[in-house]
């Protein structure tokens, strides 16, 4: 039976790797915003056998210029070339994981869809789930694979940019913006990553970690659907925009929406780090529905 969910369990991934390893590419997206070298170091210590490391700053983003957010979308031809070098074809099952509750793996999943690749998956629970299942891990550098022929195809997911969103905010015609950051940062408290604290006026907060259970695995689809339907408050997902600090954990909410059967929401890649850097962009503080301020 075909595996249609974007989530794959540790046991299912192991079956894929045992049956047809050449048809699966596993990407370790482990990263640490506070220590950019930590992801690669963790990979060298332990990873899924046959996996390659893919880095948020070097591979999954393009360089920021001070006004386009902290993690702008990558150059997609360069990303496609990297995936081909790592062994991917257009039929390859590409499975991403991390050690951080899938916050970086979800970015890989979404970028693959943006590159037109439907066979994109996230290992539910990440490397800890594999270890909990008693499955082996490897150490050291990634294995060299035969190069693939991965190429870009039409995007399967959509984005909205600052120039489109900004004129709509405050007019009553803006799409529903859902912010994946922690509630304190959403309220404008304890901001340590961006110059200004707060959120886009009219946005609602859905902390991405609320998509997970105590073991770091995604909640059941019905639970995710109920939670997001409460946030959407009757609006279709196709009219919603997901954002966060820099377009990373917003992808976690997009994955949760996909699991819930609520498809079609768009990503605002620049997210709060771009919005808060733009001169004159309105800022709100407090909980959902907080008043706009300077």
């Amino acid at each position: 039976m075909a595996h249609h969910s974007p989530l794959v369990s540790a046991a299912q991934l192991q079956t894929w790797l045992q049956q047809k390893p050449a048809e699966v590419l596993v990407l370790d997206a482990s990263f640490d915003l506070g220590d950019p070298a930590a992801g690669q170091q963790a990979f060298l210590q332990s990873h899924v056998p046959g996996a390659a490391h893919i880095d948020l700053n070097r591979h999954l983003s393009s360089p920021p210029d001070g006004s386009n957010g902290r993690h702008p979308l990558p150059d997609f031809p360069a990303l496609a070339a990297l995936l081909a070098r790592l062994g991917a074809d257009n039929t390859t099952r590409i499975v991403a994981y991390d050690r951080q509750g899938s916050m970086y793996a979800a970015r890989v999943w979404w970028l693959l869809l943006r590159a037109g690749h439907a066979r994109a998956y996230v290992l539910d629970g990440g490397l800890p789930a594999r270890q909990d299942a008693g499955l082996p891990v490897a150490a050291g550098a990634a294995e060299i694979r035969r190069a693939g022929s991965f190429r870009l195809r039409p995007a399967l997911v959509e984005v909205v940019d600052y120039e489109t969103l900004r004129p709509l905010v405050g007019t009553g015609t803006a799409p529903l913006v859902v912010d994946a950051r922690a509630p304190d940062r959403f309220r404008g408290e304890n901001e340590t990553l961006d110059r200004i604290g707060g959120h886009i006026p009219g946005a609602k907060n859905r902390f991405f970690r609320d998509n997970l259970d105590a073991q770091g695995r995604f909640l059941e689809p019905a639970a995710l659907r109920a939670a997001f339907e409460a946030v959407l408050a009757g609006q279709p997902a196709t009219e919603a925009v997901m954002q966060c600090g820099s377009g990373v954990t917003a992808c976690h909410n997009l994955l949760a929406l996909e699991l819930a059967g609520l498809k079609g929401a768009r990503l605002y890649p620049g997210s709060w780090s771009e919005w808060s850097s733009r001169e004159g962009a309105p800022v709100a503080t407090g909980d959902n529905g907080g008043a706009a301020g300077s």
Side-chain angles (χ1 to χ4, degrees):
M1 181 180 293
H3 185 82
H4 296 293
S5 172
L7 283 187
V8 60
S9 68
Q12 181 64 62
L13 175 58
Q14 183 67 5
T15 298
W16 287 354
L17 292 172
Q18 289 174 338
Q19 291 179 344
K20 295 183 178 180
E23 298 179 8
V24 183
L25 173 62
V26 181
L27 298 175
D28 184 322
S30 300
F31 191 77
D32 184 338
L33 291 172
D35 181 4
Q40 174 69 17
Q41 292 169 354
F43 174 85
L44 293 173
Q45 292 171 2
S46 62
H47 55 262
V48 174
H53 187 252
I54 193 164
D55 186 85
L56 175 64
N57 285 349
R58 293 185 292 119
H59 305 131
L60 306 178
S61 309
S62 56
D65 63 15
S67 65
N68 60 352
R70 284 183 280 108
H71 294 107
L73 295 184
D75 176 83
F76 278 90
L79 179 62
L82 171 65
L83 292 168
R85 288 197 303 274
L86 294 177
D89 298 322
N90 283 353
T91 58
T92 301
R93 289 174 171 142
I94 304 180
V95 182
Y97 73 88
D98 58 37
R99 298 159 171 79
Q100 293 84 18
S102 298
M103 63 184 291
Y104 303 110
R107 167 89 164 198
V108 178
W109 167 80
W110 187 90
L111 289 174
L112 289 168
L113 296 182
R114 185 67 179 170
H117 192 72
R119 305 191 86 183
Y121 304 91
V122 168
L123 172 58
D124 195 18
L127 189 67
R130 181 178 178 88
Q131 294 169 314
D132 289 346
L135 295 168
V137 296
E143 299 175 11
I144 303 298
R145 290 173 52 129
R146 175 192 61 83
S149 57
F150 188 95
R151 58 179 174 79
L152 298 177
R153 285 148 288 160
L156 302 174
V157 287
E158 299 300 325
V159 300
V160 63
D161 59 19
Y162 175 86
E163 287 70 25
T164 300
L165 186 60
R166 170 66 184 89
L168 300 177
V169 170
T171 67
T173 61
L176 173 63
V177 176
V178 180
D179 190 323
R181 293 176 299 160
D184 59 339
R185 291 185 64 208
F186 177 85
R187 292 191 298 265
E189 304 164 3
N190 305 319
E191 181 57 66
T192 59
L193 294 173
D194 296 308
R195 183 173 61 89
I196 297 173
H199 58 266
I200 297 172
K204 292 188 177 182
N205 188 208
R206 168 66 182 180
F207 186 29
F208 79 96
R209 291 198 181 276
D210 290 340
N211 299 326
L212 305 174
D213 65 16
Q215 287 71 47
R217 294 170 174 80
F218 278 85
L219 301 176
E220 291 297 318
L224 291 171
R225 188 178 185 94
F228 276 95
E229 283 181 339
V231 174
L232 295 172
Q235 294 195 43
T238 52
E239 296 180 10
V241 171
M242 300 295 121
Q243 57 100 179
C244 55
S246 61
V248 177
T249 58
C251 297
H252 202 280
N253 277 353
L254 286 163
L255 176 54
L257 283 164
E258 182 81 9
L259 296 170
L262 300 169
K263 302 174 184 291
R266 292 171 289 168
L267 174 69
Y268 171 28
S271 288
W272 182 249
S273 57
E274 176 182 52
W275 186 274
S276 62
S277 73
R278 295 297 187 101
E279 188 70 29
V283 173
T285 56
D287 292 317
N288 291 337
S294 58

